[in-house]
Amino acid sequence: MDDLNRRQILELLGASFGATVLPATAVRGEAARPAAPTFALPAPPVRPYTRPARPVTAVIIGHGSRGSLYGSFALKMPEEWRIAGVAEPIDYRRERCAADHSLAADRVFTTWEQVFERPRLADVAVITTQDRMHFAPAMAALERGYDLLLEKPIAPSWEECRAIYRKVVERNAIVAVCHVLRYAPYFVQLREVIASGIIGDVVSIQHLEPVQHLHMSHSFVRGPWRRKDESTPIILAKSCHDLDLLCWWTGRRCTRVSAFGSLTKFTAANAPAGAPAHCLDGCPAEAACPYHAGNVYVHKKTWGTYHIVTPDRSAAGILAELRKGQYGRCVYHCDNDVPDHMVTNLEFAGGITTAFSLEACTSYGGRRTRVMGTLGDIVGDEELLEVTLFAGGKAVWDVTQAAADLEGHGGGDLRMVRDLVQAVAQRDPALLPTTLQRSMESHQMAFAAEESRLAGGAPRTVDLAL
Ligand SMILES: NC(=O)c1ccc[n+]([C@@H]2O[C@H](COP(=O)([O-])OP(=O)(O)OC[C@H]3O[C@@H](n4cnc5c(N)ncnc54)[C@H](O)[C@@H]3O)[C@@H](O)[C@H]2O)c1
């Protein structure tokens, strides 16, 4: 009686995909609309779930923000997922992991190379180092016979993505690329509406990723993703999720892209008069500037402090680090070069057109999507989905009413690890909802979009030559 079907598991997670038909209100930010007939949205298929005979074990390569999150799931579902080792150079992070998961000293390493010098010590290697440090540990892990939980982006160049793909095929490894939105109930439901055919054939999609100005300033101005040469182009680092969603929703191959974008707001030209290089060196604009580091991270706490590296997590410790460190820099005096706005037009096979915008200058987050079909349309904002049929009928579905456990990318993070556990325990990659090859399509689209942007929008073909 160990077998549970996927529906039961979703129920354990508190999820139910049946459409919650609300009064015909409107998607956030839209004007209210008159009442209209309602109908139930099609429910995503239920996939079988089998409790693993033993927990799938993992070694975490890079116990930072993502690595520690994936590790924490072992405490939530110890019968399915167990952390068996860690490699992390920052002492307090490594020690935290060892303590949380009761790791013996010989399972705790300061760098990934040490892990792969040894015989395989777990089923899965969780590759959660920074963008430019995925390739080498991923290849070493595959060589040692590990399956992978591989953070996106797969790698910063198409050649490296392809080398990983070939190694995965050669080793017959199971790989989940962390395109976590594919597992999130909202996006699963949106895809199901499209796949059901009720809005007819998809003609066009308009998709907006509002990065949110503080998120931009933290990650892409001060943080690790601020420079393309040290990380990856923002269209890959931030938006490979969105490009992957477009592939999934259209169900087609992307054929051509054209992109424009630049860095407009977070530049020296916009620095307040007299602003010093570090906010805490007496910035005259402190009261008016939403990015003053002392206020953002300590006094007003408008953004999180996880990425600020210091063993002293007290306010005093964070402030001391801000006085000299990268997160204390004036956002107008950083060495960032990735665009803060970018529009990408993508053509898919069959003539489907999609327009994608990445925008830093928004006060809100939450992806906004409009899908235009031959028989109806969808408007969504990562919480509500409004589906309207041209022949009559409207449904409004609210993910917060339909599913629970929506922490972490709308609940995608945890559900992805559960699916990986299924796939590894049963040695069946089909138990994952997507493949490495599919994930690579989004990367190829991102590389082509960046090339087009740098060429002033000149169209680029997308050719998935593996
Ligand atoms: N799937 C998503 O939606 C999502 C969201 C955020 C970040 N990411 C990606 O996840 C990855 C990690 O991001 P993060 O925010 O956790 O970064 P992070 O900086 O918090 O974590 C990376 C960790 O790797 C460690 N590290 C550095 N050198 C190492 C070495 N030689 N051996 C082992 N570990 C080493 C660092 O000390 C750090 O703790 C990035 O590639 C990022 O783009 C994905």
Side-chain angles (χ1 to χ4, degrees):
M1 297 299 288
D2 266 345
D3 285 0
L4 298 175
N5 68 28
R6 191 173 174 84
R7 164 71 70 192
Q8 288 168 307
I9 286 305
L10 291 169
E11 281 167 6
L12 284 177
L13 285 168
S16 152
F17 282 105
T20 303
V21 180
L22 303 176
T25 54
V27 168
R28 269 194 319 235
E30 301 268 303
R33 294 180 188 170
T38 59
F39 58 91
L41 296 185
V46 175
R47 292 194 294 155
Y49 177 90
T50 304
R51 197 187 302 281
R54 62 163 178 84
V56 165
T57 55
V59 56
I60 297 181
I61 306 299
H63 195 259
S65 169
R66 300 300 296 171
S68 59
L69 175 80
Y70 297 133
S72 73
F73 296 154
L75 307 175
K76 275 194 168 181
M77 42 182 205
E79 290 175 5
E80 293 171 69
W81 182 240
R82 189 163 65 75
I83 304 309
V86 65
E88 167 58 54
I90 297 174
D91 293 348
Y92 70 89
R93 290 184 177 174
R94 187 178 62 252
E95 287 158 12
R96 175 82 265 154
C97 182
D100 283 353
H101 302 288
S102 307
L103 298 177
D106 66 349
R107 298 299 179 100
V108 179
F109 307 89
T110 53
T111 182
W112 63 266
E113 289 92 337
Q114 297 161 345
V115 174
F116 303 120
E117 281 162 6
R118 302 191 20 168
R120 188 163 69 92
L121 56 84
D123 302 308
V124 174
V126 175
I127 310 292
T128 40
T129 36
Q130 275 297 337
D131 294 13
R132 285 194 174 257
M133 207 189 282
H134 291 180
F135 178 74
M139 291 295 275
L142 290 166
E143 200 55 60
R144 271 276 175 231
Y146 286 87
D147 295 318
L148 298 184
L149 184 66
L150 176 57
E151 255 309 352
K152 44 68 30 187
I154 298 165
S157 74
W158 181 243
E159 291 66 33
E160 287 166 315
C161 290
R162 213 155 51 165
I164 289 177
Y165 174 79
R166 288 176 178 163
K167 184 60 76 181
V168 166
V169 171
E170 177 196 314
R171 305 298 299 189
N172 200 21
I174 291 173
V175 180
V177 175
C178 299
H179 276 153
V180 286
L181 301 183
R182 287 233 187 192
Y183 302 79
Y186 166 87
F187 290 104
V188 171
Q189 180 63 68
L190 173 44
R191 151 74 184 169
E192 192 56 30
V193 173
I194 296 172
S196 73
I198 60 171
I199 65 157
D201 295 328
V202 173
V203 173
S204 179
I205 300 177
Q206 196 183 53
H207 183 66
L208 166 68
E209 185 190 9
V211 178
Q212 205 269 5
H213 67 117
L214 279 167
H215 186 179
M216 183 79 193
S217 70
H218 174 84
S219 297
F220 301 96
V221 177
R222 289 175 164 139
W225 301 277
R226 69 188 182 280
R227 292 181 62 85
K228 193 167 85 170
D229 60 355
E230 290 181 12
S231 58
T232 49
I234 192 168
I235 187 75
L236 181 64
K238 188 76 186 86
S239 307
C240 67
H241 287 300
D242 303 275
L243 301 176
D244 180 58
L245 291 174
L246 292 174
C247 286
W248 189 32
W249 291 334
T250 59
R252 302 287 177 86
R253 278 274 159 84
C254 179
T255 49
R256 285 196 303 169
V257 307
S258 166
F260 300 88
S262 59
L263 176 59
T264 298
K265 176 175 163 68
F266 294 102
T267 66
N270 293 321
H278 275 75
C279 300
L280 297 184
D281 285 343
C283 182
E286 169 173 357
C289 180
Y291 312 106
H292 184 272
N295 290 331
V296 169
Y297 297 113
V298 178
H299 305 307
K300 295 185 182 169
K301 296 188 189 306
T302 49
W303 205 259
T305 56
Y306 188 91
H307 282 118
I308 301 174
V309 176
T310 168
D312 181 354
R313 308 307 297 168
S314 69
I318 299 288
L319 282 170
E321 174 56 29
L322 292 179
R323 285 202 175 84
K324 54 183 170 47
Q326 66 185 88
Y327 289 99
R329 289 185 299 179
C330 170
V331 293
Y332 303 105
H333 290 313
C334 286
D335 57 349
N336 54 310
D337 65 5
V338 298
D340 49 22
H341 59 113
M342 182 162 171
V343 292
T344 306
N345 286 328
L346 306 107
E347 184 185 60
F348 286 77
I352 298 173
T353 51
T354 68
F356 169 57
S357 290
L358 169 139
E359 303 291 348
C361 295
T362 62
S363 57
Y364 50 88
R367 291 163 165 94
R368 269 56 171 173
T369 308
R370 289 162 187 271
V371 184
M372 280 64 74
T374 50
L375 302 177
D377 63 20
I378 308 171
V379 179
D381 68 356
E382 234 180 289
E383 197 172 301
L384 298 182
L385 276 179
E386 184 177 285
V387 182
T388 308
L389 304 183
F390 302 152
K394 184 187 292 288
V396 179
W397 181 89
D398 181 345
V399 72
T400 65
Q401 311 235 340
D405 237 332
L406 297 174
E407 279 295 301
H409 291 100
D413 293 344
L414 178 62
R415 287 167 174 86
M416 175 187 65
V417 173
R418 291 197 94 124
D419 278 4
L420 178 67
V421 164
Q422 289 289 291
V424 170
Q426 296 173 54
R427 298 257 25 103
D428 182 1
L431 295 172
L432 288 165
T434 187
T435 63
L436 173 60
Q437 188 171 339
R438 230 17 202 147
S439 295
M440 285 171 67
E441 283 184 52
S442 65
H443 287 46
Q444 177 73 308
M445 290 154 69
F447 294 130
E450 179 65 357
E451 219 183 281
S452 169
R453 182 183 77 85
L454 296 175
R460 289 287 181 266
T461 54
V462 180
D463 173 19
L464 193 77
L466 293 171

